[in-house]
Amino acid sequence: MTTPLPGLTLVLGGGGTGGIAWETGVLLGLAEAGSEVLSVTQRVIGTSAGSAVGAQVLSGLGIEELFGRQISEEHGEVMPDFDASLAAAVFTALLGGKPLDVGARRRIGAAAVTAPTLPPEVRRAVIEWRLPSHQWPTTHLQVTAVDCESGDLVVFTRDSGVSLVDAVMASCAVPTMWPVVSIGGRSYMDGGICSPVNALLAGDAARVLVLTPLTGPMGASTLVELEQLRANGSRTAVISADDDAIAAMANPLDPSCRAPAAEQGRRQGRAAVEQVRLLLAD
């Protein structure tokens, strides 16, 4: 039997531009209420929006400054330009409430490769703006993506030989909305196509905190993953966007939702401090 990874594994899920702001707010709210979860975090697992937040909070920039970036009117985000019918087909599949099998992920990957989107260089500029540092952090960061051709989940780390910008850009490449990312001759899309959180990657962790902006059918698999982690001996806690936060992120791809989403996350982080203290208690 392997020894569980000490400290905290922080799992950050997908949720668009609004999700980035909300997760940043949650972490600030927890810190303000006395729970400095980042100081005890041994590993971060980031999917889609969560990959950007993971890279941000491990960049060396303080959570207060990162929050300030989210509520500022000055930003480098853009709205996607996409084919609504193609995107609807993808999200219809995701709203089924069950994880997509490999075959379904392959079909989505094939659509993503040929879908009309904004140019990759425009998207890259957004990701470069999001990341205060373009170097992999010293704290272990796992960034998830999905191989468009095989449908397999891929996990990028500092040992993968892939730049942090490329890894996060791939993890955030919502199929048919943002361009796929070519790495080593393979095309990659959003890690959320496999799971909104990919929490099962934390199966060796003693303590797991999951932040997830996605609820309802798209987030249904998160609860299943948490049950599996608990069955394997991990102590877990989850903070999900509540009704007010969801309302603030009505269109999570719209940069204008950043400030209200961040404030809602801050409120929820403060309210969840006791839950997190119990998770971290010896």
Side-chain angles (χ1 to χ4, degrees), residues 108-133:
I108 290 174
V113 168
T114 59
T117 64
L118 289 172
E121 58 270 21
V122 174
R123 182 59 169 163
R124 176 173 291 276
V126 172
I127 302 301
E128 289 177 342
W129 173 82
R130 283 180 182 174
L131 306 186
S133 171

Side-chain angles (χ1 to χ4, degrees), residues 128-239:
E128 289 177 342
W129 173 82
R130 283 180 182 174
L131 306 186
S133 171
H134 294 175
Q135 304 302 313
W136 283 92
T138 54
T139 298
H140 190 33
L141 172 63
Q142 293 178 271
V143 173
T144 68
V146 171
D147 185 301
C148 293
E149 183 179 2
S150 70
D152 293 334
L153 178 69
V154 176
V155 180
F156 296 115
T157 70
R158 61 175 173 262
D159 298 322
S160 298
V162 174
S163 77
L164 181 62
V165 171
D166 280 342
V168 173
M169 187 173 169
S171 189
C172 294
V174 180
T176 74
M177 290 191 172
W178 298 115
V180 300
V181 179
S182 179
I183 300 173
R186 308 287 295 185
S187 294
Y188 295 94
M189 61 181 174
D190 199 302
I193 298 304
C194 185
S195 159
V197 294
N198 291 296
L200 293 182
L201 293 174
D204 58 348
R207 294 176 174 86
V208 182
L209 174 61
V210 177
L211 306 188
T212 175
L214 296 178
T215 58
M218 290 186 69
S221 64
T222 299
L223 299 179
V224 176
E225 292 183 48
L226 288 171
E227 286 299 323
Q228 289 183 255
L229 289 177
R230 293 183 191 115
N232 290 336
S234 298
R235 293 169 61 178
T236 70
V238 59
I239 303 175

Side-chain angles (χ1 to χ4, degrees), residues 68-135:
R69 282 163 55 100
Q70 293 303 320
I71 62 174
S72 172
E73 293 184 0
E74 297 183 5
H75 61 84
E77 301 287 350
V78 298
M79 280 283 285
D81 184 11
F82 58 91
D83 184 316
S85 61
L86 287 176
V90 169
F91 281 89
T92 296
L94 293 173
L95 288 169
K98 295 181 180 179
L100 299 180
D101 60 28
V102 171
R105 299 199 295 264
R106 287 174 182 163
R107 290 190 292 274
I108 290 174
V113 168
T114 59
T117 64
L118 289 172
E121 58 270 21
V122 174
R123 182 59 169 163
R124 176 173 291 276
V126 172
I127 302 301
E128 289 177 342
W129 173 82
R130 283 180 182 174
L131 306 186
S133 171
H134 294 175
Q135 304 302 313

